[in-house]
Amino acid sequence: MERVLLDDKAIERSINRIVHEILEKNQGSKNLSLIGIRTRGIFLAKRIRDKIEEVEGRVLPFGILDITMYRDDIARMKASLEVKKTDIPFDVNNMTIVLVDDVLYTGRTTRAAIDAIMDLGRPKRIQLAVLIDRGSRELPIQPDYTGIRYSAVTEDEEVSVRLQEMDGQDAVLLSKSL
Amino acid sequence: MRDLSREEILLLLDTADSFRDVSRRDIKKVPTLRGKTVITLFYEPSTRTRVSFEIAAKRLSADTINISAGSSSAAKGETLKDTGKNLESMRPDVIVIRHSMPGAPHMLAGVLDSAIVNAGDGSHEHPTQALLDLFTMREKKETLDGLKVAIVGDIIHSRVARSNIFALKKFDTEVTCCAPPTMLPPRLEELGVKVSHRLEDAVAGKDVIMMLRIQKERGGASSIPSIREYSSLYCLQESHVKEAREKVIIMHPGPLNRGVEISSDVADGPYSVILNQVENGVAVRMAVLYLLSGGEG
């Protein structure tokens, strides 16, 4: 059983709103940069970058982060996860970095991402943008920009984000896991 | 390398590619293997490999302990198995071993629960060397398939040659081994490689030339009348490099014996990737340690 929490139009509107919130909160795009967390965070971050280019007329520095090396559950895994490339081709020092992910859940991915960025330098600030905040945090982490907040997810339900770039459609879905 | 599949090799190389970036940053450390313990147990001399493993482990935040034969209980007559059992009682996660006896790591893996990494066992195999060689070839040539590789030198005693042959033959490569007949093992062709006795012929048209030193500690020098005669025939010179493909890369696992198997002009020349190999060695070993440490045994 699947329920659509956000359809393609709603996702576009959410991203548009997030873009304006980012520019409002940071008073423009000066020293602003975007880092997408693998895998779907990359595509969301790219969409945000493109929208900001439309509004501000400039292309923000853009990076890709793979958090596998910084996970807190590596020692407990049965098999090793594949480590993919991190590619942050700009100096993070003194930057305002907007970290972009699809789903915010326990907050552990965000913790890992913050640690990973800190190992690259000392950004001025890090902000967090997510398409859906599904609640059930295990760490004191809150998003700065949220597409939709939906915390009524029960343990046997799964929130999944589908994006055109890799799934062929845009949707945020709530499904019962079997 | 003999038992690894093409897919497993590619996973290792891709993982190494991600880990190499860690070594190029200001903060050369990630917390991935925090709380893990890696012991390097070296019964043969080594600088490159031992330091490479130690740096790899440290950059992953594992704790490392180095043991070399001269300073260990092996000098007091303890067997390898007993040494292994005793070390395991201290609960390491990975034991990296180099030993002059072929199969020593395999034997240890059978009696211990820790993950065992072969860092060179006699003239048998040196898997992480082959992996870093393949990594370097792929980095410089973009793909392994289609490569023509010459491996020149003391093939019969070389674990580097064996591991590279096993690994390269998992890909669509043409491998030519070149040495005097006394330095080539019998029935080498059965591994799917070509055999040549003339350096000029072996290097012609090649994408990769890998030079090997004479393994004096394994009796390599007794295969030839004299070092001088050997070097007059098998020392890689600029003139040979010109016969190879235009963008040939020159490799050597080290240590170099300048003027014996490779001239200084070539070793320090523009086609040499010898120091890239060393850098990539750390990345490959990080990948090996990471992939072996994943999971609860």
Side-chain angles (χ1 to χ4, degrees):
Chain A
M1 210 191 76
E2 264 180 2
R3 225 181 93 200
V4 178
L5 296 179
L6 292 179
D7 62 10
D8 54 344
K9 288 276 184 320
I11 288 177
E12 195 185 344
R13 281 193 290 267
S14 289
I15 291 174
N16 281 338
R17 177 174 49 76
I18 287 172
V19 163
H20 288 287
E21 285 175 2
I22 290 172
L23 294 174
E24 183 187 18
K25 185 164 184 160
N26 296 295
Q27 293 169 11
S29 58
K30 193 165 174 281
N31 291 332
L32 200 60
S33 58
L34 295 161
I35 292 180
I37 299 177
R38 274 192 191 277
T39 304
R40 286 177 181 76
I42 300 170
F43 303 116
L44 291 171
K46 279 186 175 156
R47 292 189 195 183
I48 292 172
R49 179 191 61 182
D50 294 345
K51 289 275 182 228
I52 290 180
E53 189 188 353
E54 278 175 29
V55 179
E56 292 279 294
R58 53 189 293 250
V59 183
L60 296 190
F62 177 82
I64 291 171
L65 184 60
D66 183 290
I67 58 126
T68 312
M69 293 182 207
Y70 288 84
R71 291 182 72 106
D72 57 13
D73 52 358
I74 280 198
R76 299 164 58 183
M77 297 226 164
K78 289 270 178 266
S80 300
L81 290 176
E82 200 174 332
V83 179
K84 297 221 175 78
K85 289 280 270 190
T86 286
D87 181 20
I88 298 178
F90 57 87
D91 183 2
V92 300
N93 285 297
N94 298 316
M95 275 281 186
T96 294
I97 293 171
V98 180
L99 201 55
V100 184
D101 204 357
D102 53 354
V103 183
L104 178 59
Y105 182 21
T106 59
R108 287 179 192 270
T109 300
T110 310
R111 193 282 308 162
I114 293 170
D115 280 350
I117 292 170
M118 291 303 193
D119 276 357
L120 298 174
R122 188 175 189 280
K124 186 161 175 65
R125 56 177 76 86
I126 299 176
Q127 299 170 346
L128 176 63
V130 297
L131 191 54
I132 174 162
D133 174 1
R134 59 163 289 184
S136 303
R137 214 80 76 240
E138 292 169 5
L139 294 171
I141 283 169
Q142 302 306 331
D144 297 271
Y145 316 101
T146 314
I148 180 180
R149 222 184 115 72
Y150 189 87
S151 48
V153 188
T154 55
E155 288 244 320
D156 60 341
E157 286 174 321
E158 191 61 48
V159 171
S160 58
V161 171
R162 305 247 169 97
L163 293 176
Q164 196 73 44
E165 292 89 332
M166 66 182 301
D167 311 300
Q169 65 165 137
D170 276 357
V172 176
L173 303 172
L174 180 71
S175 52
K176 275 237 190 298
S177 46
L178 297 172
Chain B
M1 290 310 303
R2 186 174 221 161
D3 303 326
L4 283 184
S5 71
R6 181 188 164 103
E7 287 67 35
E8 287 168 325
I9 293 172
L10 287 172
L11 171 67
L12 275 156
L13 300 188
D14 289 342
T15 306
D17 200 19
S18 301
F19 281 118
R20 191 174 63 169
D21 296 340
V22 173
S23 298
R24 293 180 168 184
R25 313 187 318 205
D26 290 339
I27 298 175
K28 302 179 188 64
K29 205 174 185 81
V30 288
T32 318
L33 296 189
R34 204 173 41 157
K36 302 272 185 185
T37 305
V38 177
I39 294 180
T40 62
L41 183 57
F42 275 64
Y43 286 92
E44 279 191 329
S46 165
T47 41
R48 239 170 316 273
T49 307
R50 190 177 59 71
V51 170
S52 185
F53 267 110
E54 184 176 355
I55 287 181
K58 288 198 155 121
R59 289 192 178 154
L60 292 169
S61 300
D63 295 305
T64 60
I65 295 97
N66 299 304
I67 302 167
S68 48
S71 60
S72 76
S73 297
K76 299 177 189 164
E78 191 174 57
T79 65
L80 175 60
K81 185 176 166 185
D82 282 336
T83 303
K85 287 272 188 196
N86 278 275
L87 290 176
E88 185 156 83
S89 301
M90 298 184 230
R91 299 188 166 273
D93 299 281
V94 181
I95 297 176
V96 178
I97 176 173
R98 165 168 290 188
H99 202 285
S100 58
M101 185 177 75
H106 183 73
M107 186 277 279
L108 264 195
V111 294
L112 301 183
D113 292 328
S114 319
I116 307 291
V117 180
N118 180 3
D121 58 336
S123 51
H124 176 224
E125 282 224 45
H126 192 350
T128 57
Q129 178 70 42
L131 286 169
L132 76 88
D133 289 337
L134 263 65
F135 185 95
T136 308
M137 289 179 212
R138 192 178 70 157
E139 179 192 14
K140 299 293 176 187
K141 298 288 173 189
E142 280 167 22
T143 170
L144 293 169
D145 289 314
L147 288 185
K148 293 185 174 182
V149 182
I151 304 177
V152 184
D154 192 359
I155 310 276
I156 193 167
H157 295 114
S158 174
R159 55 195 177 207
V160 176
R162 288 175 62 91
S163 285
N164 265 290
I165 292 167
F166 289 140
L168 284 167
K169 292 318 287 180
K170 309 267 163 76
F171 297 84
D172 179 22
T173 56
E174 183 193 295
V175 180
T176 306
C177 290
C178 175
T182 50
M183 283 183 167
L184 291 167
R187 297 160 63 199
L188 183 59
E189 293 89 341
E190 287 175 19
L191 294 178
V193 303
K194 296 184 174 183
V195 170
S196 167
H197 303 305
R198 286 193 66 215
L199 183 55
E200 291 75 7
D201 300 341
V203 300
K206 293 295 185 292
D207 302 289
V208 178
I209 303 173
M210 182 183 296
M211 302 306 294
L212 303 171
R213 75 187 167 88
I214 300 169
Q215 302 264 315
K216 290 178 187 155
E217 70 274 30
R218 293 182 230 291
S222 63
S223 309
I224 48 169
S226 73
I227 297 283
R228 196 165 155 188
E229 184 182 327
Y230 177 83
S231 64
S232 72
L233 294 169
Y234 293 98
C235 181
L236 192 71
Q237 312 278 355
E238 296 244 28
S239 56
H240 299 117
V241 177
K242 290 197 176 78
E243 297 303 313
R245 279 272 176 86
E246 198 183 341
K247 290 197 170 159
V248 64
I249 55 172
I250 312 297
M251 307 180 75
H252 195 303
L256 296 180
N257 287 308
R258 287 170 183 267
V260 179
E261 72 272 5
I262 188 165
S263 69
S264 280
D265 288 348
V266 175
D268 306 328
Y271 300 109
S272 167
V273 296
I274 295 170
L275 296 177
N276 298 84
Q277 289 174 267
V278 179
E279 183 193 6
N280 295 338
V282 174
V284 160
R285 288 169 182 128
M286 287 171 85
V288 168
L289 292 174
Y290 167 70
L291 291 170
L292 281 178
S293 302
E296 296 155 335

